[in-house]
Each structure stands twice: as C-alpha cells, then as structure tokens.
Amino acid sequence: MKEQLIVIDGNNILNRAFYGIMGNKMLMTNDGTYTNAVYGFLAILFKILEEKKPDYLVVTFDLKAPTARHKMYEGYKANRKGMPDELAQQMPIIKEILKAMNIDIIEKEGYEADDIMGTLSRFGEKQGLDVTIVSGDRDTFQLATDNTTIKIPRTKMGKTETEDFDRQKVIDTYGVEPKQLIEVKGLQGDTSDNIPGIPGIGEKTALSLIKKYKTIDNLYKQIEENKDDLKGKQREKIIQNKELAYLSKELGTINTKVPIEDTLKDFKVEEWDREKVLEIFKRLNFKRYIERFNLTEEKQENKTLEDLFKIIEIQQIDETLKIIKQQKKIYYYITTKQTNNPNDIIKEEINAIYIYNNEKNEIYYITNKNERLKEFLKNIFEENAIEKYGFNLTHDYILLKQIDITMENLKYDAQVAAYILNSTKSKYTIEELAEEYLNLDIAQYIEEEKQEQINLFEAEQAEEKTQNTEKNTGAIYSYCIQKLYNITTQKLEEINALKLFNNIDMPTVEVLSNMQWNGMYLSVDELDKYGDEIKQKIEKLTQEIYELCGEEFNINSPKQLGEILFEKLKLPVLKKTKSGYSTDVEVLEKLKPEHPVIEKILEYRQVMKLNSTYVEGLKPYINQQTKRIHSFFHQTITATGRISSTEPNLQNIPTRDELGKRLRKVFKPADGYVYIDADYSQIELRVLAHISGDENMTQAFKDGEDIHKQAASKVFGVPIENVTKQQRSNAKAVNFGIVYGISDYGLGVQLGISRREAKKYINQYLEKYSGIKTFMDNITKEAEEKGYVETLFHRRRYVPELKSNNFVVRNFGKRVAMNTPIQGTAADIMKIAMISVYKKLKEKNMGSKIVLQVHDEMIIEAKKEEKEEVKAILKQSMETATKLNVPLIADVSEAQNWYDAH
C-alpha cells in the first residue's frame, strides 16, 4: 500500500469550523477566549487521522501579505469581509496546538494556501505518495488526479462528515477533466474571490462551452476562424471580454511551483508533545479531547490506588477516633445506597465513610456492617472541635440528621469553593474538579466505573466487584477532597475571595441544610380545597371558551387550538411552526384585542398550570412523617450568588395574580407557632445607591422618601406631592429596570408604550441620576478590561460575553456586568443576615427556626412565646448585616399562614 500525504487547508477548515459551531453553542474559556473554531478544526483533523492514518501531514495557512494575484488584479478578493475578531483570536491558538502535535505548518508570503497545497500535491505524487487535500474550497478540484483526492468536510455542531473528489468523481460531477475547471473559471469567474469572468456567463454556460471547446484558447481560435456556432449577444460578450477571460483564468489557476524549503522528512507524522498538548487543552477546557487521547495517562501510567495512598478498613473505632480528635479535622466522603423509606428526606442511607489522613497518607473506612458505625459517626460529626472537610455537605448534613446526628463545624465544601472560583459552570462534580485542579482522572483509578459493567451471571464475583468499586471510589474521593482544599483555598486567596468563602458561603451551608431539614408544614386539607376551587375554575373557563368558539375541542392541543383560532375564527396568523400555527403566549398576548376568547385561553392556561405544577405537583413532596415539604436549597446554581430552591421550587410560588398567590395560604406554622416574616425594603436599589454614589438616590433613602415617587418627580418634572399613581408605577419600572439592565424595547413592552417613549424615560432618568449612569458606564468598561465583575464582598463573575462580536451576546454581557454587582451584593447581604439569625437562635437555644428564604424575604417559624424576641433578632440582624451609605430597612410581620405573612 502506498504511503499517504495529507495536506490541510488551515484557513478554510478553521473558518468552516467557526461557522459550524456557533449560536448558543459558541465555545469560550473563562477569560472570554473563543474556542469553537479550534474545537471544530480538531474534530476534522482527528477524523482524518483516524480514517486515513497518514504517514505525512502538512497544514497550510494564508498570510496577510498581498499575493501575485493581488498585484495582477487590484480587485482580487476585494469584496471579502475581514475575519471576525472571535475567529482571528483563534488563529494563533490552532497554530500553537499544531506545533505541540509536531505537525508541520507551511505559510509563505506572496502565496496563498491553495498554491502551497497545489505544490505539495505534485511533490507528493512525484514521491510516489497518495495525496489527500482537505479543504472546503472547490477551487482545489483542479488539483484532483488519480493520485490526489480532494476531501470536502462539513461540520455542524461538532459532527463532521466528508465527501471525496478524485479525478473520476470530478468528471462524473462536472463532465470535464479537473484541469478544465480552470478554463470554466476563466469564463464564469468567481464572485467569492471577485474574479470577474465574462459578464453574463454562469456555471452552466461555462461548463457547456468547455465541454465543447475544451479550452479557452480553442474557443477563441474557433471564433477567429469562424468555426464556432455561437450566436448573438453570447458570442459578442465572449469576443468583447477576451482579456477578462484570460485574466480570470490566470487568477483562478493554482500555482504548483511554490518554492518550499521543507522536505518530506518534515512532513512525517510524529508523536505529540503530550505534556504541552495537555496544558493547552486544559487551558481551553477541551475535556473530551483530553479523555479521548488519554493525555493524563503518562503521569498516571502504571500507577494504582496503592501508589497514592494506603486503604485500611477500621475494625475497632477507638484508635481512629483518637487520631481524628488529635488532628481536629476530617477529610471524608460518605457512600450511600438507595432506600424507600417514606420518612426520609433524602431517600438514601449510609453504606460507608472514608477518611483521609494526610499526615500518614492513609485512608480509613468503616462500613455499615460494623455495628459501631453510628457511634463512630456521632463521635466525629457532633464534635464541634473537629473541622469537617467534604463535598456537598448539605447532603451529608441531612443524611446524618436522618440518624439523629447533627453535624457541627462545617469547615470546607469543595463544591462551594469551586463555585466561588467560577460561578458560571453548569455542574461541579468531584471528577470534574479533580481533573481541573488536580490533573487527576479518577476513572482511571477505579477498577469498574459502573455496576452495569459487572458480569451479572457471576453473583459472588459481581458482589465483590461492586464492593471494590465503592471502596475505590470513596477512597479516592476523600483523598481528592483534601488535595482540593489545598489548591482551591489558595486560588480563593489569590482572587481575594477566601473571606467570602469562610465567612459567608460556608456558614450558609449549615443554614440552608438546617432550613431544608426544618421544612414548611403544608395543610393537605387546605390544598385539596384549593385544588377543588381550581378544578371548578378550569371547568368554568372550559365552557366559556367552548361557547365563544362555537364548538368543543381539546384546548390543550396546540394543533386543534390553532385550527379554531386561525381557520374558524379567522384571527390573523402571526407565527407558524413546523407543526402548524403557533399559539404560544407571545402570540396570544398580541391577539388579545382581536377576540374575547384569547383572554379566557390565557387564563385557562394559567389555572391549568396552578393545578398541575402546584396542586398536584406539590403533593408528592409532602413527607409522610413530618407532613412538611423539605425543599432543597442551593447556593451553587445561580451565577449571582442568589440562593435557589428545587424539589419543589418554593421560591417560584405565584405572586402576581390573586388566585395563584392564595396558594400560600396552605403553608402554615405548627400548632403553638407563628410565622415571622421579614422582607428587605428595596435592597437592590439601596445597594445601587451605595455602589453608584448617586446623590439624589442616596439622599432619598436617607430621608426615608418614597424612592419611586422621587424618581417620578425628577423624571417627569412634577412636585413630589403631585406625582400620579401611573407616574409612580412607570418610575418604579424604570428604577427596577435599571437594576436589571432593561432595554428601551423591554421597558416599552412592560409599560405598554412606544420604544421611543421608553427610551425617553430612561434618558431622563439617567440625566437626573447621573451617578447611576456613571456607574453603568464604568462597570461595563471595567468588566471589559478585567473580564469579570465583583460584588462588594468580592464574589466574582466572569463576563466573556463582552468580547463577543455578536450584538445580542455583547448586550447580554453588559446587562450581566451592571446587574451582578447589585443583585450579587444583595444576595450576599441576605446570606449574612441569615447566618446572624441562625447563630442567635442557636446560641439562645430557641425553638424558633428559619424555614424559608425567597430572594429578599426570610420566614421564621417562631414559638409564640418567642415571637417578640424573634422579631427583634430578625430586624436587627437584617438591618445591620453590613454598613452601606444608606440605611437597610427590613419590614417585619407575623401571621398564621404564608399568604398573610407577606
């Protein structure tokens, strides 16, 4: 078999990869460096290497310097747009990678990549090689021979397909020899390269002429000898544009005689510099490629778990307890198994605990087969003198609570540390953190990754393998937690966020864990009554919709609803989908003035959602023993630092309409208790006043003025006592809109006014509140320079979107830059307040407890005899959480259900 030479058109493939992986899938690193073109280029390269297994490989690139074609014809490629910044910044990166892979790169001033490829293809043929040119440029078809194939790749969302064109495929496709395509180009020209050709001659005509006359020379010879059968304007154009035809042919001819110094030896495929490639891929976050090529393998080759640490099963717990109490810290990981206990908040139970002793490099573990496991856990986790270092400590807190053990002194959570270092990641697993921060591929150290890999027909062996897998997993996880602690805390210190971690986010872990354990009592009887009312409402609306439409149909079917609205009722069609008419909320909102049924349909959908999501949706989450909902509270999901709630999301209980809001009535305190609710008054605007230093807003808060009335007075130029309700409402929308970086379009839609009028409101607002305008301008500029923004407590959020060439993406980045310091600081203040309240309730050994936090609101389920003291604690903790240039105000109330509390 012949040896193979692959020649890759670097610019073309990088460009195609760039546009193949765009839109919502545009890849970038934390610092805003785009990587989609590099990623796609490598996908094509690796596919070629895998399929062809070449002996020799070259990548060619264009240089910016003018070529002979530019000198020959000033208009050559004059219509080409410049390379987008997002693509241009990736060019040096791909070259860096290729060099690390020891792949030869050729670029030559005065010559295009096509010329280099043409020269290399002829060189390769002379060396007796099979040559493959990888390029999406069909101009290269002229180079196809029996020994040179053009491979055309197509990339879409990372998936690569190719089509091969050798000499015969070109003939079959175009009906001419590959070399004759040069003649075709002379007649046809090329709009992409601005090669003129003969005006009025397209591809079809050019091909038919060359099929008949073979060459441009012969065409003009036949014309001169009157042996042609051309007629009319076509003949006239060909005669008049002879110079253009020959110029175009010359511009379109690939030069196969470029002086190249590199030799065949330089093209030889060699081993990569794996360490360098790994370093680059880690920087670019190309985890798939790192895994695919086992780039971490060399450092871990021939290593086993025994090379990392020694694993010891605890038989007698006393000696291990003694070691842990002496060290006053524990790096641990708990493995679990699923249970079906309806009383459990987390449907799991402890299988084993693994503890890493970094002083002796040993891992101790004790399983649930040891009758002293619970005693061991209680001695460790309830001991306040022992610092706890783990991963997802909230999970462990609940797990231990389920066996009557209350964890104390939660010192370090690897998940929380990683979140603060980069708050925009979608997930934080130990495997990912170990790979990112420790350069450790955990899967390589575990004998069996999944239980499914076990031979289920060998029961005894299967059980043993399962136990070994769990043992290895728990051991290496506990080891990684200690190593992650060392590295992540150092990195937190480097970005000035260690205090944030130690003083705010880690104490919040215990608060949220306790809050989840406490849960919120829900009256099932009240929920059922509410559900009955909802069902009656649904039935009433259903009948009203049928009457207005004149027939019965499935209201929940977009297809049937579309037919009724747009075919029967003849309402204007605003949008269509692949399956028919669009009946989404946006469409229906616009159709409101067209027919009274639209209002009913929107209300019907709203009530249906109340029933499915909240009435029926809440019931599965009611714990059978506690009769409470124990929602999961997270602090590693939102990029701003806000706490979020899931399973179910109690922060998303409706508040806008009365029917939805009444759902809160089913949440009640236990007998002998009362809800104490505290809500920050306009905390985000107060933070904005402090950060921006705006005099008008600051003074308004200091004077206790109605901030929305003040804004209305200044924007609309009326005395504050004459501000109308509508003016205040509009000013309020602008106030809060500014916080969230609202656009004139968004404000216009919200207020039901024109975009022009909305823009006028915003401009007038920023003119009166000039400090806020200065803040908005400065924070965006600062974010562009640094690549991130921070809260007052140094919570950092990276904003790579600001570097985008896409207007929509860049505008999103601007909103993020403006909003994060405000919303993030408000979230930090709420966390500080929660920590303070929790500590005071705990120190005083009170029976009152925090049961819910929703953005700016905190609810305490207080013992009735403690309620006045709780009110004082709540108000004092919230209003003194931090010191701003304006007062923090918390409004406190009490009630017997959540609805009345707020």
Side-chain angles (χ1 to χ4, degrees):
M1 185 182 287
K2 284 185 179 181
E3 291 189 313
Q4 293 196 57
L5 166 65
I6 302 285
V7 184
I8 296 178
D9 185 347
N11 283 75
N12 182 276
I13 299 304
L14 196 69
N15 192 67
R16 283 175 175 269
F18 176 75
Y19 289 105
I21 308 178
M22 282 193 69
N24 293 332
K25 296 288 183 182
M26 184 75 94
L27 307 176
M28 63 173 71
T29 60
N30 287 343
D31 65 1
T33 302
Y34 286 93
T35 59
N36 63 315
V38 174
Y39 191 90
F41 183 102
L42 291 175
I44 294 170
L45 172 63
F46 296 150
K47 185 176 177 68
I48 299 297
L49 290 173
E50 188 178 342
E51 287 179 354
K52 304 293 288 185
K53 297 180 174 57
D55 305 278
Y56 305 96
L57 178 64
V58 184
V59 180
T60 68
F61 287 100
D62 292 320
L63 291 174
K64 285 185 177 180
T67 65
R69 293 182 183 84
H70 289 94
K71 294 172 183 176
M72 186 188 309
Y73 178 54
E74 192 176 336
Y76 181 66
K77 291 189 177 180
N79 57 350
R80 287 278 181 98
K81 290 182 180 179
M83 188 181 288
D85 292 340
E86 294 94 334
L87 175 57
Q89 66 178 241
Q90 297 183 64
M91 186 66 74
I93 298 173
I94 193 63
K95 291 180 182 178
E96 181 188 13
I97 292 172
L98 293 172
K99 286 173 184 174
M101 291 178 172
N102 292 315
I103 294 173
D104 198 35
I105 296 173
I106 300 180
E107 48 192 0
K108 201 163 182 68
E109 195 167 305
Y111 299 95
E112 293 183 51
D114 286 1
D115 301 323
I116 299 169
M117 289 189 292
T119 302
L120 290 173
S121 68
R122 299 299 171 252
F123 168 79
E125 289 178 346
K126 286 178 184 177
Q127 301 295 318
L129 307 175
D130 272 338
V131 180
T132 300
I133 293 172
V134 183
S135 174
D137 187 351
R138 292 175 181 260
D139 290 348
T140 56
F141 284 1
Q142 63 184 269
L143 300 171
T145 67
D146 292 332
N147 297 308
T148 294
T149 300
I150 316 302
K151 189 177 281 291
I152 301 284
R154 297 183 185 89
T155 303
K156 190 170 183 181
M157 305 317 291
K159 187 177 180 183
T160 303
E161 298 173 352
T162 57
E163 187 177 5
D164 290 348
F165 285 81
D166 58 7
R167 173 180 169 272
Q168 191 56 51
K169 180 71 176 285
V170 171
I171 294 171
D172 293 344
T173 304
Y174 296 100
V176 297
E177 288 282 347
K179 282 186 178 180
Q180 290 179 298
L181 290 175
I182 303 170
E183 313 289 335
V184 172
K185 180 158 282 194
L187 299 177
Q188 173 194 346
D190 185 342
T191 54
S192 65
D193 288 342
N194 204 35
I195 295 175
I198 295 175
I201 302 290
E203 183 183 41
K204 187 176 178 181
T205 303
L207 279 168
S208 66
L209 288 170
I210 297 304
K211 284 176 188 175
K212 183 173 184 179
Y213 295 102
K214 309 303 180 190
T215 66
I216 290 176
D217 281 343
N218 191 48
L219 170 63
Y220 282 106
K221 183 181 178 184
Q222 296 291 321
I223 290 173
E224 287 167 8
E225 295 176 0
N226 288 316
K227 293 181 180 179
D228 67 293
D229 57 359
L230 298 169
K231 295 178 182 179
K233 288 187 178 180
Q234 187 185 70
R235 189 174 194 272
E236 188 179 322
K237 283 180 182 177
I238 292 171
I239 293 170
Q240 288 176 350
N241 293 285
K242 183 177 180 179
E243 286 186 13
L244 278 181
Y246 277 102
L247 170 66
S248 299
K249 177 183 173 180
E250 192 169 356
L251 289 171
T253 302
I254 292 175
N255 183 355
T256 59
K257 296 180 180 179
V258 177
I260 294 174
E261 296 76 21
D262 301 55
T263 65
L264 192 60
K265 184 181 177 183
D266 296 315
F267 308 153
K268 188 77 177 171
V269 174
E270 299 175 17
E271 284 293 317
W272 300 353
D273 181 341
R274 292 173 66 86
E275 195 170 327
K276 181 65 176 172
V277 173
L278 173 62
E279 183 270 317
I280 299 169
F281 282 3
K282 282 183 68 179
R283 191 176 79 223
L284 301 178
N285 203 28
F286 286 175
K287 292 180 182 178
R288 283 191 184 179
Y289 291 152
I290 292 172
E291 291 170 6
R292 180 174 171 181
F293 297 104
N294 297 317
L295 292 176
T296 57
E297 193 175 63
E298 287 188 354
K299 292 188 178 182
Q300 298 175 192
E301 193 176 4
N302 300 322
K303 286 186 178 181
T304 63
L305 291 176
E306 284 71 23
D307 294 312
L308 292 179
F309 42 71
K310 185 178 180 182
I311 307 177
I312 303 166
E313 183 172 5
I314 302 169
Q315 300 299 333
Q316 295 298 319
I317 68 170
D318 303 295
E319 186 59 33
T320 307
L321 278 173
K322 185 179 177 183
I323 292 170
I324 295 169
K325 287 183 176 180
Q326 283 175 346
Q327 292 182 345
K328 295 186 177 179
K329 60 180 63 175
I330 176 175
Y331 303 98
Y332 77 95
Y333 186 81
I334 292 174
T335 59
T336 64
K337 64 179 180 181
Q338 295 294 312
T339 68
N340 294 313
N341 187 344
N343 297 331
D344 288 345
I345 293 171
I346 296 177
K347 302 294 187 281
E348 296 172 37
E349 66 181 20
I350 296 170
N351 241 5
I353 182 170
Y354 296 81
I355 301 136
Y356 178 57
N357 181 346
N358 61 306
E359 293 178 8
K360 292 188 176 183
N361 201 32
E362 293 175 341
I363 289 173
Y364 316 125
Y365 75 99
I366 179 170
T367 71
N368 59 6
K369 291 178 181 177
N370 191 316
E371 61 184 18
R372 297 186 68 191
L373 173 62
K374 184 173 178 180
E375 177 192 347
F376 177 80
L377 296 172
K378 198 168 186 70
N379 269 282
I380 292 171
F381 286 99
E382 290 196 340
E383 177 54 68
N384 194 57
I386 299 173
E387 296 173 343
K388 317 305 184 304
Y389 297 75
F391 178 87
N392 192 5
L393 296 187
T394 291
H395 174 271
D396 296 347
Y397 186 97
I398 302 296
L399 203 60
L400 290 164
K401 266 284 196 182
Q402 288 179 171
I403 55 173
D404 300 318
I405 296 172
T406 301
M407 191 192 297
E408 298 287 348
N409 200 354
L410 288 66
K411 183 69 175 177
Y412 173 81
D413 188 324
Q415 191 178 53
V416 175
Y419 163 74
I420 295 177
L421 288 171
N422 181 5
S423 64
T424 56
K425 289 181 70 173
S426 58
K427 57 181 180 178
Y428 304 86
T429 65
I430 293 187
E431 288 89 346
E432 287 183 319
L433 302 186
E435 187 177 339
E436 182 175 356
Y437 294 108
L438 307 178
N439 193 23
L440 198 66
D441 188 347
I442 288 177
Q444 290 186 28
Y445 286 101
I446 300 173
E447 291 178 74
E448 302 289 338
E449 290 185 55
K450 295 182 179 178
Q451 193 170 341
E452 294 87 80
Q453 294 173 320
I454 297 169
N455 184 347
L456 297 175
F457 296 102
E458 301 174 14
E460 289 183 13
Q461 187 182 4
E463 186 179 352
E464 183 183 340
K465 285 184 177 180
T466 303
Q467 289 171 356
N468 284 338
T469 300
E470 182 181 315
K471 182 178 78 173
N472 294 341
T473 303
I476 199 164
Y477 280 6
S478 62
Y479 168 83
C480 287
I481 286 164
Q482 195 278 328
K483 302 304 174 190
L484 285 168
Y485 166 71
N486 291 339
I487 290 178
T488 58
T489 49
Q490 180 186 335
K491 289 185 176 292
L492 287 168
E493 193 159 19
E494 287 170 4
I495 65 168
N496 199 21
L498 191 55
K499 282 185 179 179
L500 170 74
F501 175 76
N502 289 330
N503 300 338
I504 298 179
D505 279 34
M506 276 311 301
T508 300
V509 173
E510 185 175 347
V511 177
L512 298 184
S513 305
N514 195 263
M515 199 159 74
Q516 180 180 346
W517 176 257
N518 294 334
M520 285 191 83
Y521 174 74
L522 182 147
S523 170
V524 178
D525 289 341
E526 295 263 355
L527 184 63
D528 287 338
K529 286 179 186 176
Y530 180 78
D532 291 340
E533 185 182 342
I534 291 291
K535 289 180 180 70
Q536 288 172 16
K537 183 72 173 174
I538 290 170
E539 182 58 35
K540 183 173 181 290
L541 285 167
T542 300
Q543 293 306 316
E544 288 175 345
I545 290 168
Y546 289 164
E547 287 174 17
L548 287 166
C549 293
E551 66 177 273
E552 293 187 7
F553 62 98
N554 184 354
I555 304 169
N556 299 313
S557 165
K559 185 175 184 299
Q560 290 186 36
L561 179 61
E563 289 169 355
I564 292 289
L565 296 181
F566 304 112
E567 292 179 12
K568 181 176 182 179
L569 299 181
K570 306 294 183 185
L571 300 184
V573 177
L574 301 180
K575 188 166 68 172
K576 277 196 167 188
T577 65
K578 289 180 181 178
S579 56
Y581 305 104
S582 172
T583 59
D584 63 23
V585 175
E586 186 182 359
V587 168
L588 294 181
E589 285 288 346
K590 289 178 181 176
L591 288 174
K592 269 186 189 179
E594 303 292 333
H595 199 284
V597 76
I598 302 298
E599 193 80 56
K600 298 293 182 184
I601 292 167
L602 284 167
E603 189 179 356
Y604 171 88
R605 285 186 178 178
Q606 191 177 14
V607 179
M608 281 291 289
K609 184 178 179 181
L610 279 176
N611 185 56
S612 60
T613 305
Y614 299 109
V615 178
E616 299 303 325
L618 286 176
K619 287 179 180 177
Y621 293 109
I622 302 170
N623 186 280
Q624 291 186 27
Q625 182 180 24
T626 66
K627 307 302 179 188
R628 290 171 176 259
I629 287 182
H630 300 269
S631 178
F632 288 71
F633 295 96
H634 311 273
Q635 59 175 326
T636 60
I637 292 181
T638 66
T640 58
R642 267 189 168 186
I643 293 162
S644 59
S645 163
T646 61
E647 299 180 62
N649 184 356
L650 292 182
Q651 295 180 334
N652 208 30
I653 300 292
T655 57
R656 291 188 178 181
D657 65 284
E658 181 59 25
L659 185 62
K661 197 174 176 182
R662 275 175 44 212
L663 178 63
R664 294 185 171 208
K665 287 188 176 182
V666 306
F667 292 92
K668 297 184 171 185
D671 290 341
Y673 286 76
V674 64
Y675 277 160
I676 306 298
D677 179 285
D679 188 20
Y680 270 123
S681 170
Q682 301 163 339
I683 186 170
E684 290 182 351
L685 290 177
R686 291 172 190 272
V687 169
L688 175 59
H690 174 86
I691 293 177
S692 68
D694 183 84
E695 292 181 6
N696 286 326
M697 186 172 276
T698 299
Q699 198 57 49
F701 280 124
K702 284 182 176 179
D703 293 343
E705 286 184 15
D706 180 329
I707 191 65
H708 303 312
K709 268 194 171 184
Q710 192 219 53
S713 172
K714 291 191 176 298
V715 170
F716 302 117
V718 296
I720 197 163
E721 61 273 11
N722 294 340
V723 169
T724 65
K725 188 177 180 180
Q726 185 62 49
Q727 286 173 328
R728 183 187 183 278
S729 178
N730 289 353
K732 182 178 180 179
V734 180
N735 258 331
F736 285 116
I738 291 295
V739 172
Y740 289 92
I742 200 167
S743 64
D744 46 15
Y745 171 77
L747 182 65
V749 170
Q750 187 176 329
L751 296 181
I753 59 177
S754 69
R755 187 170 182 170
R756 185 176 179 181
E757 193 173 358
K759 188 173 184 179
K760 182 182 174 185
Y761 281 4
I762 292 172
N763 289 340
Q764 286 175 334
Y765 180 93
L766 294 176
E767 185 182 328
K768 299 298 181 182
Y769 295 91
S770 58
I772 294 172
K773 185 180 188 310
T774 302
F775 158 73
M776 290 166 65
D777 293 340
N778 289 348
I779 198 69
T780 305
K781 186 179 178 182
E782 186 181 326
E784 286 172 349
E785 291 171 358
K786 292 182 176 179
Y788 62 85
V789 288
E790 287 185 333
T791 69
L792 288 180
F793 301 93
H794 303 292
R795 184 181 304 282
R796 180 175 293 192
R797 179 175 180 176
Y798 293 95
V799 197
E801 293 87 355
L802 287 171
K803 291 188 177 181
S804 174
N805 209 30
N806 182 298
F807 175 78
V808 175
V809 175
R810 198 167 60 250
N811 260 11
F812 170 76
K814 287 180 179 179
R815 290 197 298 274
V816 165
M818 287 185 281
N819 170 243
T820 298
I822 301 164
Q823 192 180 104
T825 296
D828 287 340
I829 292 170
M830 175 54 88
K831 285 180 182 178
I832 294 168
M834 290 175 72
I835 294 163
S836 175
V837 171
Y838 176 78
K839 283 182 177 177
K840 286 170 183 173
L841 295 178
K842 189 175 179 181
E843 285 166 5
K844 292 173 179 285
N845 199 28
M846 297 172 75
S848 303
K849 53 204 172 188
I850 306 174
V851 291
L852 186 64
Q853 188 271 329
V854 182
H855 307 319
D856 306 334
E857 177 188 8
M858 194 186 332
I859 298 179
I860 311 292
E861 188 173 4
K863 276 190 169 182
K864 287 185 176 177
E865 59 268 28
E866 296 175 353
K867 69 176 187 177
E868 294 307 322
E869 189 175 2
V870 167
K871 285 180 185 178
I873 288 172
L874 199 48
K875 189 169 182 66
Q876 194 267 343
S877 295
M878 290 179 72
E879 294 186 345
T880 61
T882 193
K883 187 168 178 57
L884 301 179
N885 293 335
V886 297
L888 284 172
I889 302 296
D891 299 319
V892 180
S893 61
E894 68 172 271
Q896 283 303 128
N897 62 61
W898 185 11
Y899 176 89
D900 293 327
H902 187 57

